[in-house]
Amino acid sequence: LYQQPNWITYCVRDVPKNVDRKGYNFRKDAQVWTSNNADYKNNIWDKGHLAPAAAFSDSEGNLKATFSFLNCTLQHQRLNRKEWAQLEQQLPDWAEAFGDMSVKVDVLFESNHRVLPTGAHVPSGFIKRIQFPDASTKCFYFPNEDTLNKNWSQFEVACD
């Protein structure tokens, strides 16, 4: 209906980078109605990975799986390239220090969320819940807007 994923879960592991993401493009799934390239043309929305490509660069198959519109959301370019990316870069360090972590990202839509002329719905925000091996959790809420160069840690919220 909204052409966006509702949520995703994935595991962050301490793995080597064996494959570079250069040259990969997002692809549609023939059986699921998702956003497509037209939704991202000439606007402020990036193709935001929900499960980051870097976390799956240990093999070509794993990396390729992240370049699906099933794992892609309309994400404000400043959020995607700044705070969201910074938290994604922190996760491998935590995995190296503490072990494999489970991550769930919920894609949120407020009742008055934006709908693009193409018909794709723009998420209002994202909640990222990280569960560490000791069962402790950290949660972050990111509004889908220009984040004004805040530090990613300023988006941490109580997990409830």
Side-chain angles (χ1 to χ4, degrees):
L1 177 66
Y2 285 0
Q3 301 180 28
Q4 300 293 293
N6 294 318
W7 56 270
I8 194 165
T9 59
Y10 62 97
C11 182
V12 176
R13 306 160 293 137
D14 180 22
V15 296
K17 178 181 177 180
N18 296 322
V19 184
D20 189 86
R21 67 182 279 166
K22 187 175 182 180
Y24 284 88
N25 294 307
F26 281 90
R27 67 193 183 293
K28 289 188 58 70
D29 183 300
Q31 299 179 343
V32 181
W33 189 33
T34 64
S35 60
N36 60 53
N37 287 321
D39 299 318
Y40 300 87
K41 190 173 182 178
N42 299 324
N43 61 35
I44 60 170
W45 309 109
D46 273 357
K47 295 172 186 169
H49 278 88
L50 291 177
F56 297 92
S57 61
D58 58 320
S59 75
E60 188 172 334
N62 285 345
L63 182 63
K64 184 178 180 182
T66 71
F67 281 90
S68 164
F69 281 106
L70 297 172
N71 181 43
C72 180
T73 189
L74 288 154
Q75 193 170 60
H76 192 286
Q77 61 190 6
R78 292 289 300 259
L79 171 61
N80 184 48
R81 299 172 194 183
K82 299 288 184 174
E83 293 80 5
W84 188 265
Q86 292 164 358
L87 178 55
E88 285 179 345
Q89 292 164 7
Q90 177 62 49
L91 295 178
D93 294 341
W94 286 340
E96 182 180 2
F98 305 116
D100 294 356
M101 298 174 301
S102 174
V103 178
K104 181 177 184 190
V105 179
D106 287 303
V107 181
L108 308 175
F109 296 90
E110 294 174 2
S111 60
N112 63 344
H113 67 272
R114 183 182 304 199
V115 180
L116 298 180
T118 58
H121 292 240
V122 178
S124 305
F126 309 93
I127 294 179
K128 186 175 282 199
R129 180 184 184 93
I130 304 158
Q131 184 168 11
F132 292 83
D134 67 0
S136 65
T137 57
K138 284 186 176 283
C139 294
F140 298 84
Y141 170 72
F142 294 95
N144 195 13
E145 58 192 35
D146 186 340
T147 50
L148 306 173
N149 289 320
K150 294 181 181 174
N151 184 294
W152 62 266
S153 64
Q154 291 177 271
F155 294 91
E156 188 168 359
V157 296
C159 295
D160 49 11

